[in-house]
Amino acid sequence: MTRPGRPAGPAADTEAVVLTAALELLLAEGALALTPQRLHAVTGVARTTIYRHWPAPRDFLAALIAVAPHESAPPSGDPATDLHAEVDLICDRLHDKPVAEFLGALVTASIGDPSCAELRRRYVLDLTRPLSTVLAALVPVSEAQSAATEIVAPLLVDILLLDRPVDRDRAHRVAAETLDRIGCARTTK
């Protein structure tokens, strides 16, 4: 039996329109631009629909994280090769302007809204997860996550704090040093 009333979520096309506009506003103007009123003006979607599904900027950020692509390199069977392939992918993602700017917007949003800090952590963990998955085949999961963070942290500092481009060579050096430290054969990149 179906119940009349409002659907649990927005229609797929409405969600796509609103989230595409939200990402564009976020990248152009920052997280503070993510208001239901502003998105109504940009998209023409009813304010009540936007308020119902995304009442606050945090809700837009969470929805954008949920639909963010999480591609991973196909495994080769060699942990060193796989780790370096994942390093290349994360460098590509951070070099991609929307990913770096989205991460910057999450940092800014966390300052004004402490509840966004968890979203920021989740997004960074999503970035590091492919690295920690490869490393978890070699060391315990907690050590794998820590090692993945060691590889990614300098990239995040460069992108977010120093406004520098991704240093792919340094990321590969750190990955090779990490593999050496945990006793995996080093492969050159």
Side-chain angles (χ1 to χ4, degrees):
M1 175 174 153
T2 59
R3 266 179 36 179
R6 295 182 177 143
D13 57 339
T14 300
E15 182 176 33
V17 166
V18 171
L19 292 181
T20 299
L23 181 60
E24 290 170 1
L25 277 174
L26 176 77
L27 297 178
E29 300 176 31
L32 295 178
L34 297 179
T35 65
Q37 299 90 339
R38 188 69 190 280
L39 281 152
H40 163 69
V42 171
T43 65
V45 172
R47 280 185 295 211
T48 55
T49 299
I50 295 171
Y51 272 112
R52 185 170 51 249
H53 300 294
W54 306 282
R58 181 194 188 292
D59 301 305
F60 290 110
L61 293 169
L64 289 168
I65 290 171
V67 298
H70 302 291
E71 67 182 62
S72 195
S76 71
D78 174 40
T81 300
D82 292 346
L83 183 64
H84 285 287
E86 294 298 348
V87 166
D88 277 332
L89 284 175
I90 199 165
C91 286
D92 291 345
R93 285 184 77 191
L94 291 172
H95 182 266
D96 184 33
K97 188 173 180 166
V99 172
E101 288 187 10
F102 183 75
L103 190 52
L106 278 171
V107 170
T108 302
S110 297
I111 294 167
D113 179 359
S115 71
C116 289
E118 181 54 37
L119 291 175
R120 184 191 67 229
R121 280 189 289 278
R122 189 171 98 201
Y123 192 68
V124 170
L125 287 175
D126 285 350
L127 286 173
T128 62
R129 185 168 292 113
L131 298 172
S132 59
T133 299
V134 170
L135 291 165
L138 304 170
V139 295
V141 172
S142 62
E143 188 178 339
Q145 182 58 51
S146 179
T149 301
E150 290 173 19
I151 295 167
V152 174
L155 298 171
L156 297 179
V157 167
D158 283 349
I159 292 291
L160 295 173
L161 301 177
L162 302 176
D163 199 27
R164 290 186 195 160
V166 170
D167 188 342
R168 188 179 301 266
D169 292 335
R170 180 177 61 189
H172 282 290
R173 279 194 311 274
V174 174
E177 291 166 3
T178 299
L179 289 169
D180 284 348
R181 183 175 49 77
I182 62 177
C184 187
R186 183 179 194 152
T187 61
T188 56
K189 184 69 182 158

